[in-house]
Amino acid sequence: MSVTAKICGLSTPETLDAAIRGGASHVGLVFFPPSPRNVSRERAAQLAARVPGHVTRVGVFVDPDDALLEASIAAGGLQVLQLHSSSPARAVAIKARTGLEVWAAVAVKTRADLAAAGTFTGAADRILYDAKTPPGAVIPGGMGVRFDWSLLQGVRHNLPWALSGGLDPFNVAEAVATTGAAMVDVSSGVESAPGIKDAGRIAAFLAAVKQL
Ligand SMILES: O=C(O)c1ccccc1NCC(=O)[C@H](O)[C@H](O)COP(=O)(O)O
C-alpha cells in the first residue's frame, strides 16, 4: 500500500526542506498564535516560496475568522485549510468563500467521538482523525497524544481521511497496519522539543512511511 504523509507545524526553511526531500505529500503551517508552531505571515510567505508544485501547502487553523483566513491564504499560498473546532456549517461557508479544499479535524478519545466525522459529509473534503488533547490544553492538536487506533477498525468512512495524533517514526507502521490509513500526519513525533522540528526525525518518519 502506498501511504502519503503530511508533516505539520513546520516553521523553518531547513526543516521544510527536509520534509520535501523526504517525500512528504503535504506540509502544514500553523496559524494559531498560542501554538509554539505559529508562523507569521512573513514566515509563511518565505516558507511557501520553497515548496515545489508536487507538495501541497496546508494551513492549520482553530475556528478562524475570515480575516485570518484571507491573510493566511494569501501569505502562505495555501491550497488546503485544516480546521480544528469549526462546525460543519462554518466549514461549508469557508469552502464556499475560499474555493479551497477543506479538512475537518475530528478529536478522538472514545468510539462515540467518531460520530462527529459523519457531520462533515458534504461539508469537508477530508477528515483528520486526531487525538483529543487533555482538558484545559491551549492547543487542540500537536501534543503528541495518540488515541486507540483500533477504534477505526471496521468504520465506514464517508470521506477520504488521514490519521494523526502521537505518531512517530517507530509507531507509524503499526498505526497504519491497525487502521488501514492511506494518509498520516505528524508534528511532535518529529520534534526535539515543542515547536522545534528535527530534520533527522522528519527523514526517519518519511523513510518509515515509504516502506509501507
Ligand atoms: O500543532 C499545533 O500546534 C496545532 C495548533 C493548533 C491546532 C492544531 C495543531 N496541530 C494539528 C496537527 O495537524 C498535528 O499534526 C496533529 O495534531 C498531530 O500532532 P502530534 O500528535 O503532535 O503529532
Side-chain angles (χ1 to χ4, degrees):
M1 177 168 74
S2 152
V3 176
T4 58
K6 166 174 161 263
I7 306 294
C8 195
L10 291 156
S11 57
T12 65
E14 296 73 24
T15 55
L16 176 80
D17 291 352
I20 293 164
R21 219 173 27 247
S25 59
H26 295 72
V27 290
L29 306 181
V30 174
F31 297 90
F32 185 57
S35 168
R37 306 172 184 96
N38 182 59
V39 287
S40 65
R41 288 173 206 166
E42 294 70 25
R43 178 52 66 101
Q46 181 197 16
L47 296 173
R50 304 177 79 87
V51 180
H54 67 279
V55 177
T56 302
R57 297 178 295 269
V58 181
V60 177
F61 299 91
V62 181
D63 202 18
D65 61 23
D66 290 337
L68 175 64
L69 280 171
E70 276 165 26
S72 308
I73 291 167
L78 303 179
Q79 296 155 297
V80 176
L81 306 175
Q82 177 180 318
L83 305 177
H84 291 251
S85 311
S86 289
S87 67
R90 180 69 182 137
V92 169
I94 288 174
K95 194 169 166 50
R97 186 182 174 89
T98 64
L100 295 179
E101 189 173 322
V102 166
W103 295 3
V106 167
V108 182
K109 186 167 185 188
T110 68
R111 188 172 299 279
D113 295 325
L114 299 176
T119 66
F120 285 97
T121 305
D125 298 287
R126 181 181 296 275
I127 299 296
L128 181 78
Y129 292 107
D130 199 357
K132 199 171 264 186
T133 54
V138 177
I139 49 177
M143 294 191 66
V145 179
R146 63 185 257 190
F147 65 91
D148 176 2
W149 300 322
S150 72
L151 293 175
L152 289 176
Q153 288 176 340
V155 170
R156 279 182 54 123
H157 302 278
N158 292 336
L159 291 171
W161 60 280
L163 178 67
S164 193
L167 301 180
D168 63 35
F170 310 102
N171 68 17
V172 67
E174 184 195 342
V176 167
T178 305
T179 62
M183 178 183 276
V184 292
D185 167 81
V186 65
S187 189
S188 314
V190 294
E191 291 181 340
S192 56
I196 311 297
K197 287 284 179 302
D198 181 290
R201 292 182 202 194
I202 290 171
F205 184 85
L206 292 170
V209 170
K210 245 179 218 164
Q211 286 178 357
L212 301 174

